[in-house]
Amino acid sequence: METKDVILQLRTQKGLSQDELAERILVTRQAVSRWENGETVPNTETLKLLSKEFDVSINTLLGTPRQLVCQCCGMPLEDAIISHNKDGSPNEDYCKWCYADGTYTYSSMDDLIDACVRHMTNEHFTEEQARAYMRDLLPTLDYWKRYDELSDNGQFEAFKRQLIQEINDLHVEGLPKVEKLNALVGRYVNLAYPLPSGAAVNFLNDQTTYLGTQLESEFGGERCFGVLAGMDFILISTYGPEGKAPELVLYKKR
């Protein structure tokens, strides 16, 4: 699709008139009309405003001329998993797992490889092959090339260690000691927990990136513990295979 078609489609999907879109991004209605007629193309700053307004990458607005790749883990990027900056604008250099609201979530290649390999192995691609592939790939990506420049000098890792300590200090019966927390996007872990009233409640935001892990219960059986945390809460639950029959064990404000 061309830029004119993309803008028209996104505006229509959001239910905005040309006047309403123009007001939101501080241009005239005539400017929007010229874009949608293909007479002109938004300049760089306006593309940034449109990107934030429609929550899509500039690459999408330009008709997807290139394949975006996360510059931390190498995952191909689509709008649904592109990360966001602190101001809410899309950041098309990273996925939501590697960069969350202005914070890089990985400072160790080994930890990132461990997190990725679990999702890469199958009958055609062994764990050893996946690890070798990631070891070759990561040093070629911009984040790892510029790690000394982009890293936060261990502040986020210190935050994770503090969270892990707080979780382990809860001494939840049957929960093994937590050793690591990985970045997890809300939409993939936002289970609906039943309340005594019979209602089911989701505690997470689908668009937010959290820290968490899954651990086998010390009691055995098929149920696992799920641990999730953010800046202001800790959530611990149990559930069956594929997240079935979730039960909330603990929700604690920090």
Side-chain angles (χ1 to χ4, degrees):
M1 293 174 69
E2 296 181 37
T3 299
K4 64 184 182 70
D5 302 314
V6 174
I7 294 175
L8 174 60
Q9 182 182 73
L10 291 172
R11 178 178 64 78
T12 303
Q13 288 175 346
K14 202 163 183 179
L16 297 175
S17 67
Q18 289 186 342
D19 281 315
E20 289 169 330
L21 176 58
E23 183 177 353
R24 292 191 182 200
I25 59 172
L26 307 177
V27 299
T28 65
R29 185 200 63 77
Q30 289 78 11
V32 176
S33 177
R34 287 195 293 270
W35 299 337
E36 294 183 353
N37 289 329
E39 298 172 19
T40 60
V41 176
N43 61 31
T44 301
E45 291 306 311
T46 305
L47 283 170
K48 290 179 182 178
L49 294 174
L50 287 166
S51 173
K52 186 175 181 179
E53 175 65 33
F54 292 129
D55 197 24
V56 299
S57 68
I58 291 176
N59 190 56
T60 293
L61 291 170
L62 295 177
T64 318
R66 59 193 177 96
Q67 172 63 66
L68 301 178
V69 173
C70 176
Q71 291 303 304
C72 180
C73 70
M75 177 188 296
L77 294 177
E78 299 176 355
D79 288 330
I81 61 170
I82 281 177
S83 64
H84 289 76
N85 298 307
K86 287 183 178 180
D87 66 0
S89 60
N91 184 321
E92 55 192 61
D93 289 330
Y94 300 101
C95 71
K96 289 183 176 181
W97 291 271
C98 293
Y99 184 80
D101 300 322
T103 299
Y104 296 100
T105 60
Y106 285 100
S107 60
S108 163
M109 280 193 188
D110 289 337
D111 286 349
L112 178 55
I113 290 172
D114 287 343
C116 292
V117 162
R118 296 197 303 269
H119 304 286
M120 297 171 64
T121 54
N122 55 48
E123 60 186 71
H124 304 296
F125 202 48
T126 67
E127 179 179 339
E128 292 74 18
Q129 289 173 319
R131 288 187 180 279
Y133 173 80
M134 293 301 290
R135 280 195 296 268
D136 288 340
L137 173 65
L138 296 189
T140 70
L141 301 174
D142 189 61
Y143 174 69
W144 299 106
K145 286 181 180 179
R146 301 168 57 207
Y147 178 75
D148 290 340
E149 173 190 346
L150 297 174
S151 67
D152 62 2
N153 296 315
Q155 293 180 38
F156 189 67
E157 284 303 311
F159 169 65
K160 285 203 289 187
R161 288 194 297 271
Q162 174 64 31
L163 265 181
I164 289 170
Q165 184 63 52
E166 290 180 26
I167 293 165
N168 288 328
D169 285 347
L170 294 170
H171 301 295
V172 175
E173 189 176 8
L175 174 66
K177 183 178 180 180
V178 175
E179 302 286 352
K180 290 183 179 181
L181 293 173
N182 297 311
L184 300 170
V185 176
R187 64 184 292 195
Y188 298 101
V189 291
N190 195 8
L191 304 179
Y193 300 101
L195 300 180
S197 65
V201 176
N202 300 87
F203 289 89
L204 307 180
N205 184 318
D206 284 353
Q207 303 305 316
T208 299
T209 300
Y210 301 93
L211 289 171
T213 188
Q214 175 179 287
L215 296 168
E216 294 183 4
S217 173
E218 292 180 336
F219 298 136
E222 292 188 325
R223 292 187 72 80
C224 292
F225 276 96
V227 178
L228 286 164
M231 294 295 292
D232 58 355
F233 77 93
I234 294 171
L235 184 155
I236 298 175
S237 64
T238 66
Y239 42 78
E242 300 181 0
K244 298 292 179 61
E247 293 182 5
L248 184 64
V249 176
L250 178 150
Y251 183 87
K252 178 180 183 292
K253 287 287 187 179
R254 298 182 66 242

